């Protein structure tokens, strides 16, 4: 999709162009961040790289300055843009990489593992920024990731592909409902010796102040469980967890016999 | 072109980040070729001449060969290291940019450190031009320029050919260095001093003879050669067309396999 490879079979049309045929025309409108292959010059500050990228993509000066300002602000690069790239941390560098790939205002942004190996602050900053450019500028973002939390944070609709077939198309919460309707609720309440008893809910463990409940949301709804619970004890705190998205996806693949 | 200049400036900026290393590289590169030439000069002094050629005449061919070799090494370093770029994925990066690939490869590296050898080459060339026994006229100056251009074109084509092979294999690159470095050595002397079969290879297959030998015969009025002998460096253009053809084929087939 970046115009590097030719397909073995089939066709690929993006933005009315065939990437591997009209390479030069096509790549004008895309930005690419490869996790391991930097586009920043190692020994000079990222800002210098940005200006060279401006020349490579032939971005008009005015437009370039605007985008640059916007990116510096959005990705919080003000402090680091004048420091040689080799002295930046991985997270700082990734933020600069992403800025670098957006200087020419591409319609589509490809990110290859943008959050891999990042510290928590940078990870969240990167996610937030991806959401932001998508909403504000309408940039399409295509990313690969092994981090399911990325997916959870960024996408509404999921299309699952396995062995060249489309397996699933729908929202994340629908997948949850279908493949992992199990919820775990832990509740803390005022001291009581009463046993909790709710129909269709397993009480995994219980003592005088705390209980862990397990239930299937297809059979009994979350608010019903809370309703029952509130009648029996005085609730102080409640936490509800659904099974982690990794498990959901893994389960889907096994269910569909792909692995 | 502007892009190339700006990339060059960037490389220089990167190089002088490490000042001591930079200065040492320049000195070392100047010394290395100077020492080699001083070595052969000492030999020449004791022989007086080789195969009827005086010291100045030999230095003229040496200067032309060295000048062509060092300029292509300096400006075409990207091609020289192209096999590394294929291996580490830089080529993929270049393919995602809306610019000519050859230009980008040339922009990717620039060795300012070679400036030491470039100065050597210019000094030798100037010394030879002013001491050699030639009645310079307009046509002869033109022939000299043609020889210098031919030398650059020829070394550049060899480099391009070497780079092209990286599309098929990234091993055995040293073999091509035999042709470029070896070619420089061979063409540092008039090829008539070599065995016939050896001279033939460097005349008909890799046309060093057309750059350094035939035009030299004309310049020096040796053996009453016809006036068109001075124009033989033009042959290098054919060599360049062939190697750039191979380069283009390689680029095409890389895109289709992407391996």
């Amino acid at each position: 999709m970046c115009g590097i490879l030719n397909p073995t079979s089939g066709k690929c049309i993006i933005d009315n162009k065939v990437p591997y045929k009209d390479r030069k025309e096509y790549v004008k409108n895309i930005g690419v961040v490869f996790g391991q292959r930097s586009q920043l010059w190692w020994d000079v500050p990222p800002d210098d790289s940005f200006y060279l990228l401006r020349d490579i993509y032939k971005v008009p000066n005015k437009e370039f300055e605007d985008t640059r300002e916007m990116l510096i602000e959005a990705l919080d690069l003000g402090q680091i843009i004048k420091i040689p790239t080799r002295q930046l941390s991985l997270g700082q560098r990734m933020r600069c990489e992403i800025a670098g790939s957006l200087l020419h205002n591409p319609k589509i942004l490809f990110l290859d593992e943008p959050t891999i190996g990042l510290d928590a602050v940078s990870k969240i900053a990167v996610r937030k920024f991806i959401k932001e450019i998508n909403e504000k500028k309408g940039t399409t973002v295509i990313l690969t990731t092994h981090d399911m939390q990325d997916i959870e944070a960024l996408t509404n609709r999921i299309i699952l592909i396995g062995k060249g077939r489309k397996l699933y198309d729908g929202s994340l919460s629908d997948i949850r409902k279908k493949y992992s309707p199990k919820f775990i609720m832990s509740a803390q309440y005022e001291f009581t010796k009463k046993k909790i008893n709710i129909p269709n809910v397993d009480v995994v463990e219980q003592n005088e102040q705390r209980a862990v409940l397990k239930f299937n949301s297809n059979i009994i709804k979350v608010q019903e469980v809370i309703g029952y619970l509130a009648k029996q004890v005085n609730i102080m705190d409640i936490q509800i967890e659904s099974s982690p998205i990794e498990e959901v996806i893994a389960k889907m693949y096994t269910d569909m016999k792909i692995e | 072109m502007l892009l190339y200049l700006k990339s060059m400036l960037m490389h220089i900026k990167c190089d002088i980040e490490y000042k001591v290393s930079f200065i040492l590289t320049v000195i070392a590169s100047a010394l290395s070729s100077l020492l080699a030439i001083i070595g052969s000069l000492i030999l020449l002094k004791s022989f007086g001449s080789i195969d009827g050629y005086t010291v100045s005449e030999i230095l003229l061919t040496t200067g032309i060969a060295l000048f062509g070799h060092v300029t292509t090494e300096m400006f075409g370093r990207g091609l020289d290291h192209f096999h590394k770029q294929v291996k580490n994925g830089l080529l993929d990066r270049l393919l995602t940019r809306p610019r000519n690939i050859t230009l980008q490869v040339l922009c990717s590296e620039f060795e300012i450190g070679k400036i030491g050898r470039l100065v050597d080459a210019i000094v030798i060339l100037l010394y030879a031009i002013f001491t050699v026994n030639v009645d310079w006229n307009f046509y002869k100056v033109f022939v000299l320029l043609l020889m210098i251009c031919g030398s650059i074109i020829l070394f550049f084509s060899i480099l391009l050919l070497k780079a092209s092979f990286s599309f098929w294999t990234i091993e055995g690159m040293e073999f091509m260095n035999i042709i470029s470095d070896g070619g420089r050595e061979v063409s540092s002397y008039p090829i008539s001093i070599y065995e016939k079969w050896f001279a033939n290879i460097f005349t008909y297959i890799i046309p060093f003879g057309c750059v350094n030998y035939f035009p030299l015969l004309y310049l020096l009025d040796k053996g009453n050669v016809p006036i068109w002998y001075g124009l033989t460096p033009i042959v290098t253009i054919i060599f360049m067309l062939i190697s750039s053809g191979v380069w283009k084929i390689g680029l095409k087939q890389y895109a289709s396999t992407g391996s």
Side-chain angles (χ1 to χ4, degrees), chain A:
Chain A
M1 284 196 283
C2 305
I4 298 174
L5 305 182
N6 276 357
T8 19
S9 66
K11 249 198 301 190
C12 170
I13 295 170
I14 300 175
D15 196 19
N16 286 326
K17 292 178 193 95
V18 182
Y20 42 91
K21 290 214 173 105
D22 326 309
R23 185 185 68 82
K24 267 195 218 168
E25 267 310 303
Y26 170 72
V27 295
K28 268 183 202 163
N29 289 315
I30 66 167
V32 185
V33 175
F34 292 123
Q36 310 303 329
R37 301 158 196 169
S38 177
Q39 60 185 328
L40 302 172
W41 291 55
W42 192 241
D43 289 319
V44 292
D47 208 20
D48 290 0
S49 299
F50 290 172
Y51 279 93
L52 196 67
L53 283 168
R54 175 195 64 188
D55 296 329
I56 290 175
Y57 284 98
K58 298 181 182 160
V59 187
N61 248 328
K62 173 85 180 62
E63 195 188 319
F64 171 78
E65 290 297 340
D66 290 349
T67 327
R68 183 173 156 272
E69 287 301 319
M70 189 280 284
L71 289 168
I72 289 176
E73 201 178 309
L75 283 160
D76 193 19
L77 301 177
Q79 302 281 328
I80 53 178
I81 204 164
K82 298 285 181 200
I83 303 172
T85 307
R86 64 169 189 276
Q87 292 170 13
L88 299 179
S89 78
L90 190 61
Q92 292 171 328
R93 219 158 65 218
M94 182 50 80
R95 269 146 57 203
C96 292
E97 290 278 356
I98 292 179
S101 64
L102 285 169
L103 288 168
H104 55 292
N105 258 322
K107 288 187 204 157
I108 308 171
L109 175 64
F110 292 89
L111 301 171
D112 184 16
E113 308 251 5
T115 55
I116 197 163
L118 296 195
D119 57 280
V121 179
S122 300
K123 214 178 229 183
I124 290 166
V126 166
R127 274 184 206 148
K128 200 180 128 218
F129 176 74
I130 293 173
K131 261 207 135 106
E132 206 176 288
I133 52 159
N134 175 252
E135 275 156 17
K136 280 196 192 149
K137 292 203 154 189
T139 311
T140 306
V141 181
I142 298 181
L143 60 87
T144 64
T145 179
H146 283 117
D147 189 336
M148 293 298 167
Q149 284 167 354
D150 282 351
I151 299 178
E152 240 176 328
L154 293 173
T155 58
N156 305 319
R157 180 176 163 202
I158 286 191
I159 298 175
L160 205 61
I161 298 171
K163 293 228 168 128
R165 279 187 311 128
K166 189 170 95 176
L167 300 178
Y168 177 82
D169 180 358
S171 74
L172 197 58
S173 52
D174 281 347
I175 291 193
R176 276 246 155 79
K177 250 185 224 149
K178 203 164 156 201
Y179 290 92
S180 170
K182 293 252 160 61
F183 280 86
I184 294 172
M185 182 191 287
S186 28
Q188 284 180 348
Y189 38 79
E190 285 174 15
F191 187 87
T192 176
K193 294 225 175 220
K194 226 181 345 179
K195 274 249 177 259
I196 295 173
N197 185 12
I198 306 171
N200 296 322
V201 173
D202 290 338
V203 181
V204 182
E205 59 173 272
Q206 190 190 358
N207 57 31
E208 284 91 1
Q209 286 178 313
R210 191 168 167 276
V212 178
L213 313 174
K214 209 171 163 186
F215 58 93
N216 184 326
S217 65
N218 286 350
I219 301 169
I220 180 165
K221 289 211 175 88
V222 179
Q223 67 257 37
E224 290 178 80
V225 178
I226 298 176
Y228 278 113
L229 194 66
K231 275 181 208 153
Q232 297 177 18
V233 295
N234 290 326
I235 302 173
M236 286 160 69
D237 191 14
I238 275 186
Q239 278 183 329
I240 302 175
E241 285 168 45
S242 51
S243 33
I245 183 81
E246 274 101 339
E247 282 175 26
V248 179
I249 302 283
K251 188 164 182 297
M252 281 183 76
Y253 275 110
T254 26
D255 282 4
M256 294 179 179
K257 300 208 167 33
I258 293 197
E259 263 208 286

Side-chain angles (χ1 to χ4, degrees), chain A residues 23-24, chain B residues 79 82 85 91-107 167 247 251:
Chain A
R23 185 185 68 82
K24 267 195 218 168
Chain B
L79 285 174
F82 185 68
Q85 302 183 350
L91 179 61
D92 295 342
R93 165 105 267 154
L94 300 184
L95 279 167
T96 65
R97 289 180 179 158
R99 283 304 187 92
N100 182 285
I101 295 298
T102 320
L103 176 70
Q104 289 193 72
V105 173
L106 286 176
C107 288
F167 290 120
W247 169 254
L251 206 59

Side-chain angles (χ1 to χ4, degrees), chain B:
Chain B
M1 203 59 211
L2 195 66
L3 181 65
Y4 186 73
L5 286 177
K6 287 194 172 161
S7 305
M8 259 169 62
L9 283 178
M10 196 80 145
H11 284 293
I12 295 172
K13 212 169 163 185
C14 286
D15 278 342
I16 55 181
E17 277 278 307
Y18 308 94
K19 284 190 191 65
V20 179
S21 147
F22 170 70
I23 292 166
L24 286 178
T25 318
V26 172
I27 295 173
S29 85
L31 279 182
S32 70
S33 58
L34 209 58
L35 283 177
I37 286 157
I38 287 172
S40 43
L41 273 184
I42 292 170
L43 282 178
L44 272 175
K45 275 271 185 262
S46 50
F47 288 128
S49 67
I50 293 179
D51 202 21
Y53 292 93
T54 66
V55 175
S56 294
E57 288 164 2
I58 301 239
L59 279 182
L60 189 63
T61 57
T62 309
I64 287 170
L66 189 63
F67 187 79
H69 188 244
V70 77
T71 42
T72 51
E73 263 201 334
M74 199 163 159
F75 297 100
R77 204 54 164 173
L79 285 174
D80 202 9
H81 288 165
F82 185 68
H83 58 288
K84 289 184 196 157
Q85 302 183 350
V86 173
K87 205 151 73 173
N88 67 21
L90 185 82
L91 179 61
D92 295 342
R93 165 105 267 154
L94 300 184
L95 279 167
T96 65
R97 289 180 179 158
R99 283 304 187 92
N100 182 285
I101 295 298
T102 320
L103 176 70
Q104 289 193 72
V105 173
L106 286 176
C107 288
S108 69
E109 281 189 55
F110 172 67
E111 287 233 342
I112 187 71
K114 295 278 177 198
I115 200 134
R117 289 182 65 185
L118 188 65
V119 172
D120 284 354
I122 292 171
V123 169
I124 292 167
L125 209 52
L126 286 178
Y127 173 82
I129 289 169
F130 285 111
T131 55
V132 79
N133 189 20
V134 171
D135 304 323
W136 292 108
N137 60 29
F138 183 74
Y139 179 67
K140 285 193 171 176
V141 171
F142 176 71
V143 168
L144 181 76
L145 289 178
L146 213 56
M147 285 165 83
I148 295 172
C149 292
S151 177
I152 295 173
I153 293 174
L154 191 51
F155 279 110
F156 181 81
S157 310
I158 292 172
L159 220 51
L160 194 63
L161 207 56
K162 174 187 170 185
S164 311
F165 284 126
S166 318
F167 290 120
W168 288 280
T169 170
I170 46 177
E171 283 158 50
M173 282 302 139
E174 281 306 306
F175 176 75
M176 289 308 283
N177 287 346
I178 296 176
I179 301 181
S180 58
D181 292 346
R184 188 197 70 223
E185 286 300 317
V186 169
S187 62
S188 289
Y189 304 94
I191 57 167
S192 64
I193 66 170
Y194 302 109
E195 290 284 333
K196 188 99 181 115
W197 64 270
F198 193 73
N200 278 343
I201 292 178
F202 282 93
T203 306
Y204 297 112
I205 299 180
I206 307 156
F208 278 114
C210 298
V211 174
N212 264 358
Y213 180 62
F214 300 124
L216 187 76
L217 287 183
Y218 171 74
L219 282 186
L220 302 177
D221 273 334
K222 294 210 182 219
N224 283 328
V225 293
I227 193 163
W228 61 265
Y229 264 44
L231 300 176
T232 47
I234 293 172
V235 172
T236 54
I237 290 174
I238 298 172
F239 195 76
M240 181 157 94
L241 288 178
I242 294 171
S243 60
S244 60
V246 176
W247 169 254
K248 281 197 182 117
I249 294 169
L251 206 59
K252 244 197 177 139
Q253 86 110 39
Y254 176 84
S256 62
T257 60
S259 49

